[in-house]
Amino acid sequence: MLDRLNEVNEPLTIQSADSAAMERYGRVLKGIDCSEMFDAAMRAANPEGPTYLRDLDELKRFDSFRQIGSQVYGEDSMLQAGLCFGMNDRMNGMEYHEGSEVIVAVTDAVLILGRTEDIVNQNWDSSLAELFFIPAGTALELYGHTLHLAPCRVSDEAFVTIIILPEGTNRPLESRTPDDPTYFMENKWMLCHPESPAVQRGAHVGITGENIRVRPVRG
């Protein structure tokens, strides 16, 4: 799949999640079989509903959730487990959090990543992005302050990912922080591209350059 993705997305380069280039952004978690969570995730990923579900109790009953909590966070009592899924094929924006985010790929997906160190005056150039293929079954820890947003699909089918974060992340704010326009939701700092739908919801326009598109493999 990775070779075919690179063929249809030339001149973009999509790298493997376990390549050395990932080391600046995160790491693949080894020794955790997350497949026990997949049936529950697929049932909850209703294509007629929202494409992000912040916290689902059903996902937190599995041993793999507790193993991720222990390996990444030291415990699991203050974590949420939700879903991100859909037909997305654009970068649209970049966000970051305090604390790691774990993305479990229920299906194959592509992540577009960047570094907060490259944000200048609340702006970031999309030419600095790096793209990574995340095969189904992969559990990936993204380090805190890694720039990312929703994954992109790789085929005509929707992508489905489980998202584990510190409790409360992505809850709506009671009020915006006036001195930081990038603080968009609880524990969520966001820059968006001018083409992003989030502009209509008050997100800070802070991405210059191309709104990167990942072309899916057909057939």
Side-chain angles (χ1 to χ4, degrees):
M1 175 60 81
L2 180 55
D3 289 342
R4 295 177 68 193
L5 278 168
N6 275 305
E7 287 175 7
V8 301
N9 283 283
E10 193 176 0
L12 291 177
T13 298
I14 301 173
Q15 304 174 81
S16 170
D18 57 7
S19 67
M22 177 58 76
E23 294 176 1
R24 69 176 67 185
Y25 305 111
R27 60 175 178 142
V28 173
L29 301 177
K30 304 294 187 181
I32 302 177
D33 180 3
C34 297
S35 61
E36 62 180 357
M37 308 170 78
F38 290 0
D39 285 347
M42 293 301 289
R43 285 195 302 272
N46 179 359
E48 303 302 321
T51 56
Y52 177 71
L53 301 172
R54 188 182 67 82
D55 196 17
L56 297 170
D57 286 340
E58 185 175 4
L59 295 175
K60 295 190 285 189
R61 65 183 177 86
F62 295 103
D63 287 341
S64 51
F65 171 76
R66 289 184 284 273
Q67 290 172 341
I68 288 170
S70 176
Q71 186 168 328
V72 176
Y73 304 95
E75 48 83 35
D76 61 23
S77 61
M78 298 298 291
L79 299 176
Q80 63 191 38
L83 291 178
C84 184
F85 55 93
M87 301 297 286
N88 181 55
D89 64 358
R90 299 275 181 174
M91 174 188 64
N92 282 326
M94 295 293 245
E95 68 179 11
Y96 65 92
H97 314 291
E98 293 285 354
S100 290
E101 172 172 331
V102 174
I103 299 175
V104 179
V106 180
T107 66
D108 293 346
V110 168
L111 280 176
I112 302 172
L113 303 179
R115 299 189 298 172
T116 53
E117 298 97 305
D118 295 322
I119 296 173
V120 178
N121 296 325
Q122 297 175 333
N123 286 274
W124 181 78
D125 184 345
S126 68
S127 68
L128 300 172
E130 292 192 85
L131 285 70
F132 295 89
F133 173 61
I134 316 298
T138 302
L140 177 71
E141 176 189 0
L142 292 183
Y143 302 141
H145 286 242
T146 292
L147 292 174
H148 64 285
L149 203 62
C152 295
R153 64 189 173 113
V154 301
S155 71
D156 291 333
E157 301 296 323
F159 76 90
V160 180
T161 53
I162 296 167
I163 307 294
I164 298 172
L165 281 160
E167 172 61 39
T169 300
N170 290 324
R171 280 197 298 230
L173 297 174
E174 293 184 5
S175 62
R176 298 296 296 273
T177 304
D179 59 347
D180 188 351
T182 70
Y183 194 55
F184 189 58
M185 303 184 88
E186 189 170 329
N187 192 28
K188 177 191 183 93
W189 290 260
M190 182 173 176
L191 310 172
C192 74
H193 191 275
E195 297 175 358
S196 170
V199 174
Q200 303 303 317
R201 296 187 284 122
H204 172 71
V205 178
I207 294 181
T208 59
E210 179 185 0
N211 187 15
I212 296 169
R213 180 190 177 197
V214 176
R215 292 177 173 82
V217 172
R218 303 293 185 185

